[in-house]
C-alpha cells in the first residue's frame, strides 16, 4: 500500500487529511460540516456520496470524470474507450447528483486517443488536462461564468474491470484484440495460454494476413504472429507466467515455440 500523490502533497503543505472507511460515518460528517466547504471535488473516488454531502457545499460537489459524458459513465472509462476503438475521449467536470455520473455538465475538453496509447499513457494525458480543467471549473463557478447544463446524447457505461476481462478470444478480429491489449495495460492485462502456461500479451500490432484463430502462423526472426477471426496479430511484448516482461524476440530465444502451436483461451 502506498499513499496517493494527493495525500503526499497534502502532508507536504500541512493540510489535514481525512480518510473515512465509509463517507456516511457520523464523525466524518460532523468534521465535514464544521469545515463549511464552499466546494467539494471528487476524482476517481470509490464511494457514492450521500445526499447530505452533495447538498452541503455552496458551489456543489464537483466530479472530474475521464470521459466525455454521457459516454462511458462508471468506473473504467479510460479502459473501455480504448477497448471499444474510440479515437477521441476527454474529461468532464460535472455537478454531482445521486445518480451514477448523471449530473449536469460544467466543462468538457476533448483529448485524442493515439494508436500507441495504452490505458496507462492515456490516463497520464487525461490527468494533466483534467487538473487544468478542474481549476478552470472552480474559478468559473466562483465568478459565475459557468452554468451547468444537462447531459445530452446517448449514454453508455464503463463497468468495473475484472481479471477475467483480459482473457483473449482469438475468434475476434486482430484490430479488436489490439485495442483489448492496449486498453487493459497495465491492469488486468490481456492473456492467453500456450502449452499450459499463462502468457500476458503486453503489446501487439494488427497485420494483414490470415490464419486459423489462435494458431501461430509465424515464429521466426523475432516475429510471433497469430491468426485471429480477421487478419493476424503480431505479438511484440509478452510476459510469461512468473517471469518479467520481455520482447517477443527474447521470448522466442528462450522457448521452443513453433508454427502450428495453438493459444488456448483457458486451461483444460
Amino acid at each position: 500500500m502506498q499513499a496517493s500523490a494527493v495525500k503526499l502533497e497534502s502532508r507536504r503543505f500541512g493540510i489535514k487529511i481525512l480518510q473515512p472507511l465509509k463517507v456516511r460515518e457520523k464523525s466524518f460528517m460532523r468534521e465535514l460540516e464544521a469545515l463549511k466547504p464552499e466546494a467539494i471535488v471528487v476524482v476517481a473516488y470509490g464511494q457514492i456520496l450521500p445526499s447530505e454531502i452533495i447538498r452541503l457545499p455552496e458551489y456543489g460537489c464537483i466530479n472530474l470524470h475521464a470521459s466525455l459524458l454521457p459516454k462511458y459513465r462508471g468506473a473504467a472509462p479510460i479502459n473501455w474507450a480504448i477497448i471499444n476503438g474510440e479515437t477521441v475521449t476527454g474529461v468532464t467536470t460535472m455537478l454531482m447528483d445521486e445518480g451514477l455520473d448523471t449530473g449536469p455538465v460544467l466543462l468538457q475538453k476533448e483529448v485524442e486517443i493515439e494508436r500507441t496509447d495504452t490505458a496507462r499513457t492515456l490516463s497520464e494525458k487525461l490527468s494533466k488536462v483534467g487538473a487544468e480543467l478542474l481549476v478552470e471549473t472552480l474559478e468559473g463557478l466562483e465568478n459565475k461564468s459557468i452554468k451547468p447544463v444537462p447531459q445530452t446524447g446517448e449514454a453508455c457505461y464503463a463497468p468495473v474491470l475484472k481479471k477475467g476481462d483480459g482473457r483473449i478470444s482469438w475468434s475476434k478480429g486482430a484490430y479488436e484484440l489490439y485495442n483489448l491489449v492496449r486498453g487493459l495495460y497495465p491492469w488486468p492485462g490481456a492473456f492467453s495460454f500456450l502449452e499450459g502456461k499463462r502468457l500476458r500479451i503486453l503489446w501487439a500490432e494488427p497485420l494483414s494476413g490470415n490464419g486459423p484463430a489462435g494458431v501461430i502462423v509465424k515464429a521466426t526472426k523475432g516475429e510471433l504472429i497469430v491468426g485471429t477471426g480477421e487478419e493476424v496479430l503480431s505479438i511484440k511484448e509478452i510476459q510469461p507466467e512468473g517471469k518479467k516482461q520481455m520482447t517477443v524476440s527474447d521470448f522466442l530465444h528462450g522457448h521452443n515455440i513453433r508454427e502450428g502451436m495453438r493459444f488456448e483461451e483457458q486451461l483444460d
Side-chain angles (χ1 to χ4, degrees), residues 17-80:
I17 301 165
L18 302 175
Q19 292 183 281
L21 290 177
K22 295 183 179 179
V23 290
R24 296 178 183 272
E25 290 176 7
K26 291 183 178 179
S27 59
F28 173 68
M29 286 295 300
R30 286 195 295 269
E31 288 193 82
L32 204 56
E33 289 168 354
L35 288 172
K36 295 183 172 58
E38 292 179 284
I40 291 175
V41 171
V42 175
V43 184
Y45 192 56
Q47 298 189 51
I48 301 295
L49 300 190
S51 57
E52 297 92 326
I53 293 180
I54 291 173
R55 294 194 300 264
L56 181 61
E58 176 186 353
Y59 296 112
C61 291
I62 300 129
N63 181 28
L64 174 63
H65 188 76
S67 78
L68 298 173
L69 291 171
K71 294 189 74 173
Y72 299 106
R73 294 171 175 167
I78 297 171
N79 307 86
W80 287 108

Side-chain angles (χ1 to χ4, degrees), residues 170 210-217 226-229 232 262:
W170 293 100
N210 58 74
V215 174
I216 296 173
V217 296
V226 186
T228 73
V232 295
R262 181 184 292 273

